[in-house]
Amino acid sequence: MMYDICHSPVTLSTPEALDEWNGMIRAFLAHGTATPTHLGAVLSSHPDFAMGHAARGLFSLMLGRAEMVSVAHEAARHAREAQAATSLTHREALWVKALEHWLDGRPSGAVAAMECALDAHPADTLSAKVSHAIRFILGDAAGMRRSIERVLEAHGSDHACRGFALGCHAFALEETGDYDRAEAAGREGLLLAPDDSWGLHAITHVYDMTARPDMGIKLIESHVNAWDHCNNFRYHVWWHKALLHMDQGEMDVALGLYDAQIRADKTDDYRDISNATSLLVRLELEGIDVGPRWEELADLAQNRTDDGCVVFADLHYMLALTGADRGEAKDAMTQRFAKDAANTGEMPQRYADPGVAALSGLNAFAEGRYDAAFGDLIAARPAMQTIGGSHAQRDVFERITIDAGLRAGRYDQTEAVIQDRLTRRAGRRDRFTNTRLATIDQARRIPAQ
C-alpha cells in the first residue's frame, strides 16, 4: 500500500502516479493552476482510481456553476464503477460517499464524510481542506475552526503540509474573531508554505477586520510568491488589496486595480464576479462614478439567473443586474429565488432565508426605495452568515444595509447595525464606520439648529 504526503493510504500502483497525486494535493492546497493537470495525469494512468474521480466531482461542485453539476454526476458514475471493480481504502470510499451526499443536495453530508476520514487519518490535510472549503460555502465558521483544530496535532513539524493546515487554522480563527491568534498562525504557516495564498489572505482578512490597511497592503506586496502562482484566486488577493486602498481613501487606486487586475480576464466564475460586483458597489457607495463597467458584468450575470447553486453567487449576480438595470433579468432572478425557496433541502433553505429578503432588498435599494430596502435587508441580516463567504465578502451587504438606513432616515436603527458591525471588527473603526457615524451625527444636529 502506498501513502501520500498526507500520511494516508492510496490505491495507486506506480511511483509516478503517486507523484502526480501528491502534486495535485499540494497544488490544491496552494490554489495552484496545476491542480487539474496533476489530477488528469492520475486518472489517465489509473482510470479505476475512485478517489480521483470523486475529487474531480467534488472540485467541480465547489465551482458553484450549474453546468458543472453534470460533470460531477459523470465523475460520480466513474467513481462508483471503479468502486465496484476494485478494493478501496476506507478513506477513498468516504470520498465517493461525500460526492454522492453533495449531489443528493446534502453538502453537510459531504462534510460529515470528510470528518469521518479525518477520524481515521487526522494527518490527512487534503480531507481537512475539503471539509474546510465546503464549510466555507455553507457559512460554518465555527465548524471550520473545530475541524482544523482537532487535526492540528497530527500536523507536526515533519508534516509536508503543516503550513497549509496552519493557513486553514488562521482563516478559521479570523472568521471566529480571534484576530491575534489568526495573524500568528498565518505568519507561521507562511514560513513553512511560502506559496500558501489561503494563509496569506487569512492574515489580510485580519488587517481588514481590524482597520490596519497599511499592514495589509504591505503584506500582499511583500509576499507576491504566495499568490502570483494561483488560479483565479489571485484576483481575490488583488480585490483585498483594492479594499485596503479604499480604507485609506485611495478610491482611484482601487478602481485602477479593478481594471488592471481584478477584471483583467473577463471570466464568469462566480468568485470573480463577486470580487468585481462588490468592489463596484463599494465604490459607488462612496460616490465614485464607475462608468460602463456594470455592463460587462450584467451580460454575464443575466446568463446565470437560472443557476441556483449558491445563494452567495446569485446575490452577486443580482448586484450586476441592478448595477446595469437589467429589468427582465432581475425579474427572472426574483422568480427563480421564490421557486427555489419553496423547495426543501439545505440550499433551498438558504434561498428561503435569507435569500428572498436579501434579493428584494438589493432590488429596492437600486430602485431608490430605501425604506423598503432597509426593512428587507434587516430581515435578511440574522441569517446572512449562512450564504457562505467571509465577513469581508458579506460586508458589501452590510454597507448597502447601512446606507439604505441612512437614506431612509432610520438613524437609530442604522447606528445599531454600525455598532454591531464594529463589535465584530474588534472595535476598530475603519473609514466606512467613521464616515457613516459622522453622517448620523450631522443629521441629528440639523433639527437642533
Side-chain angles (χ1 to χ4, degrees):
M1 181 68 68
M2 290 185 170
Y3 284 75
D4 61 26
I5 55 172
C6 295
H7 303 183
S8 301
V10 284
T11 54
L12 297 171
S13 59
T14 68
E16 293 78 13
L18 182 62
D19 285 344
E20 293 288 358
W21 178 248
N22 285 335
M24 187 282 295
I25 292 173
R26 210 177 190 293
F28 177 69
L29 295 175
H31 294 257
T33 57
T35 303
T37 302
H38 287 300
L39 183 56
V42 172
L43 292 175
S44 178
S45 67
H46 287 67
D48 59 349
F49 183 45
M51 186 174 176
H53 291 295
R56 177 171 177 253
L58 289 166
F59 297 168
S60 296
L61 292 176
M62 288 177 191
L63 295 177
R65 297 154 59 103
E67 66 269 26
M68 299 308 297
V69 176
S70 61
V71 175
H73 275 291
E74 178 193 23
R77 178 174 60 80
H78 287 307
R80 288 190 295 268
E81 290 172 352
Q83 187 173 27
T86 61
S87 178
L88 306 188
T89 67
H90 180 60
R91 174 207 195 197
E92 292 168 343
L94 284 167
W95 270 62
V96 177
K97 183 177 291 186
L99 176 56
E100 291 175 340
H101 280 315
W102 199 344
L103 286 171
D104 286 340
R106 290 177 288 113
S108 65
V111 169
M114 290 297 149
E115 294 299 324
C116 285
L118 292 171
D119 286 340
H121 304 285
D124 181 6
T125 328
L126 178 60
S127 294
K129 177 71 171 182
V130 171
S131 176
H132 185 86
I134 302 174
R135 289 183 190 273
F136 176 68
I137 293 171
L138 297 176
D140 183 12
M144 282 194 296
R145 181 168 174 173
R146 288 194 305 271
S147 176
I148 194 65
E149 286 184 345
R150 79 186 186 97
V151 301
L152 270 181
E153 187 176 346
H155 288 76
S157 58
D158 62 337
H159 197 301
C161 302
R162 175 173 169 78
F164 295 108
L166 287 169
C168 288
H169 191 213
F171 185 73
L173 288 167
E174 180 277 324
E175 286 296 295
T176 52
D178 201 339
Y179 298 123
D180 289 343
R181 289 184 63 201
E183 182 179 359
R187 287 195 174 275
E188 181 185 353
L190 278 178
L191 292 175
L192 299 172
D195 59 341
D196 182 19
S197 56
W198 190 254
L200 170 92
H201 120 284
I203 310 170
T204 304
H205 273 267
V206 170
Y207 295 141
D208 182 311
M209 296 295 288
T210 56
R212 290 180 283 170
D214 54 334
M215 294 188 68
I217 292 168
K218 181 180 178 181
L219 176 79
I220 292 171
E221 292 179 344
S222 62
H223 289 79
V224 175
N225 290 340
W227 53 272
D228 67 347
H229 67 282
C230 285
N231 51 29
N232 62 322
F233 191 72
R234 68 185 184 276
Y235 304 135
H236 185 64
V237 178
W238 282 115
W239 175 81
H240 272 288
K241 192 170 189 292
L243 298 192
L244 294 165
H245 282 291
M246 280 191 68
D247 199 24
Q248 293 190 148
E250 299 165 350
M251 308 302 169
D252 56 335
V253 176
L255 194 58
L257 288 173
Y258 179 97
D259 293 330
Q261 302 294 344
I262 295 165
R263 287 305 286 170
D265 294 327
K266 304 296 192 289
T267 77
D268 71 342
D269 187 299
Y270 87 81
R271 295 161 297 187
D272 301 336
I273 297 292
S274 70
N275 293 334
T277 55
S278 65
L279 180 55
L280 291 187
V281 167
R282 284 171 166 87
L283 287 166
E284 286 193 334
L285 293 177
E286 298 305 318
I288 305 300
D289 182 359
V290 302
R293 292 174 178 83
W294 282 118
E295 298 302 321
E296 175 255 329
L297 299 173
D299 288 344
L300 298 173
Q302 69 183 15
N303 295 324
R304 295 287 172 185
T305 57
D306 289 330
D307 253 33
C309 293
V310 183
V311 178
F312 176 89
D314 284 339
L315 290 179
H316 284 86
Y317 294 143
M318 191 63 166
L319 291 179
L321 297 176
T322 57
D325 195 20
R326 300 289 176 88
E328 188 174 328
K330 288 191 295 181
D331 291 343
M333 183 76 83
T334 300
Q335 292 167 13
R336 204 259 301 151
F337 261 58
K339 181 182 69 174
D340 288 354
N343 295 328
T344 58
E346 293 179 8
M347 299 316 286
Q349 178 182 342
R350 287 165 168 78
Y351 279 99
D353 181 26
V356 170
L359 193 81
S360 178
L362 296 181
N363 198 36
F365 186 86
E367 294 175 353
R369 297 183 287 112
Y370 300 121
D371 196 70
F374 187 70
D376 286 333
L377 293 169
I378 285 294
R381 193 169 180 268
M384 285 299 284
Q385 171 98 22
T386 67
I387 71 169
S390 65
H391 292 311
Q393 288 175 308
R394 291 188 304 272
D395 191 51
V396 68
F397 305 115
E398 288 280 81
R399 293 179 181 224
I400 295 171
T401 303
I402 289 165
D403 275 19
L406 293 177
R407 297 179 192 189
R410 296 201 193 185
Y411 301 121
D412 290 346
Q413 290 171 282
T414 302
E415 184 177 21
V417 175
I418 294 172
Q419 292 299 335
D420 185 54
R421 177 181 180 272
L422 187 57
T423 297
R424 288 200 306 275
R425 291 173 167 264
R428 300 289 294 271
R429 291 191 176 196
D430 60 359
R431 183 180 183 279
F432 182 83
T433 299
N434 287 331
T435 56
R436 271 48 181 188
L437 287 177
T439 298
I440 292 174
D441 185 55
Q442 177 66 18
R444 284 173 173 163
R445 284 203 305 266
I446 291 173
Q449 294 173 354

